[in-house]
Amino acid sequence: GGVVYVNYGRREDFEQLRALGVALNGSIAVARVGGGVSFAEKVGHAQEAGHVGVLIYPDPADVPQDPRRLGLHSNAVISEH
């Protein structure tokens, strides 16, 4: 396997990758935070698709980076149970 970008890790994201012929089995999924999908759902969808691991990151396009606004501050992390 390798590393495969899976957008938000939604079911439709994995379906699109399969339709494009991208090999998913045994690879690591890289997913963005958000997209209306919980961290657990992202991991579950990746597992169903055959991935062996998932990295989830906050994309600056989705999460405000300015510490004067609500959002990700340089000293903060995003976590979910």
Side-chain angles (χ1 to χ4, degrees), residues 54-66:
V54 183
L55 299 173
I56 303 171
Y57 74 98
D59 190 319
D62 296 325
V63 181
Q65 300 295 307
D66 187 341

Side-chain angles (χ1 to χ4, degrees), residues 6-80:
V6 298
N7 198 23
Y8 289 110
R10 300 170 295 202
R11 227 179 262 290
E12 58 264 29
D13 295 326
F14 290 100
E15 290 169 3
Q16 182 178 17
L17 289 169
R18 275 192 218 93
L20 293 170
V22 177
L24 304 177
N25 284 341
S27 61
I28 303 292
V30 177
R32 298 159 59 179
V33 170
V37 184
S38 73
F39 284 23
E41 289 172 307
K42 292 173 194 296
V43 171
H45 295 159
Q47 185 177 17
E48 289 171 3
H51 289 278
V52 296
V54 183
L55 299 173
I56 303 171
Y57 74 98
D59 190 319
D62 296 325
V63 181
Q65 300 295 307
D66 187 341
R68 295 168 290 179
R69 294 181 294 177
L70 291 176
L72 186 64
H73 184 273
S74 62
N75 295 326
V77 296
I78 294 176
S79 66
E80 185 173 307

